[in-house]
Amino acid sequence: MPRGADQDWESLPPSARLYGSPADPALRKVRAGAGRAWRRVAAVLVALAAGAGLVAGALTLAPRLTAPPPPERARLSDPQAGLSAPLPPGWTEGPVAPVTGFTSVARGPGGALLMARPVAEPVEDAKKATAEAAEVYSRLLLKGDRVTVVEDRKLPGGHTRALRAEYRDVVNRPAFLRVMLLTRSGRPVMLVGLLQPEETARRQALDAVMTTVR
């Protein structure tokens, strides 16, 4: 520092006379203090973000934990016939079958009907027995003016036959009947499905039920 300065040169320590006046350390302290403050702010922000993430996760998980379980799917269960089948949405198991001899019944939208029963006598010719049963139930349930066989085929452990009935009057639309003869646990079981009126989607739903019988 020049000798004409306000500060008395002679009052400075020897090191200051050689290297100049010592710098004020206040700025360094402020910077150091500011760094510590920013670190504290950053830690608080990180903690808040973590807490917000936990809250969001809890809010997302809470409806899953508190939501009621999905309703149990309806089934057709027949202990006497020894069979069971899951029913599609809209189908329900009925208390009493409308035809004598059947031990279980399920009803679907639009009047769809599925009945099951055990067969008391042994079945030697499943195809013949299915055709005879289809003829009987056609006269009993369809009563069509014109009845056509639309399917007749062998199944694993049984046989199935499907009929389509048409009517001369304009009130009754075509109806559909399927008879299925199966063997379950060494015992013959008969299924009869009925649709009136017949529609492709409803026929597919009925066939799906009958083919899932276990």
Side-chain angles (χ1 to χ4, degrees):
M1 173 181 263
R3 289 180 178 275
D6 294 337
Q7 184 176 4
D8 188 356
W9 179 262
E10 296 298 330
S11 65
L12 296 175
S15 61
R17 297 173 193 173
L18 293 174
Y19 301 106
S21 300
D24 185 0
L27 181 61
R28 183 176 299 175
K29 291 181 180 178
V30 170
R31 289 178 179 174
R36 289 194 294 272
W38 275 111
R39 286 195 293 272
R40 288 196 296 269
V41 171
V44 172
L45 292 176
V46 170
L48 290 175
L54 291 175
V55 172
L59 292 176
T60 303
L61 184 61
R64 300 179 185 176
L65 296 177
T66 59
E72 186 176 353
R73 190 173 177 181
R75 299 186 66 86
L76 173 67
S77 299
D78 191 332
Q80 296 186 54
L83 59 83
S84 176
L87 298 176
W91 282 68
T92 58
E93 186 176 19
V96 181
V99 179
T100 303
F102 286 89
T103 52
S104 61
V105 60
R107 298 182 183 274
L113 184 69
L114 173 62
M115 300 180 293
R117 70 176 181 88
V119 178
E121 304 81 10
V123 177
E124 297 181 0
D125 189 335
K127 181 176 181 179
K128 180 180 178 181
T130 303
E132 292 175 348
E135 177 67 23
V136 171
Y137 294 120
S138 172
R139 293 197 304 267
L140 179 65
L141 301 173
L142 294 181
K143 301 179 181 179
D145 298 308
R146 180 187 177 194
V147 179
T148 307
V149 177
V150 294
E151 185 178 1
D152 188 84
R153 63 186 177 90
K154 183 179 180 180
L155 298 174
H159 201 88
T160 185
R161 188 177 181 94
L163 309 176
R164 186 176 188 269
E166 298 176 88
Y167 306 89
R168 295 192 183 97
D169 60 77
V170 295
V171 177
N172 289 312
R173 296 167 58 187
F176 176 80
L177 175 74
R178 178 179 294 281
V179 176
M180 186 178 293
L181 185 65
L182 302 172
T183 300
R184 289 291 178 269
S185 302
R187 298 184 301 170
V189 176
M190 182 164 292
L191 301 171
V192 174
L194 177 66
L195 295 174
Q196 191 172 17
E198 176 199 23
E199 295 175 356
T200 301
R202 299 173 69 230
R203 178 174 170 177
Q204 291 174 345
L206 177 64
D207 287 344
V209 176
M210 298 182 73
T211 56
T212 55
V213 170
R214 296 292 181 269

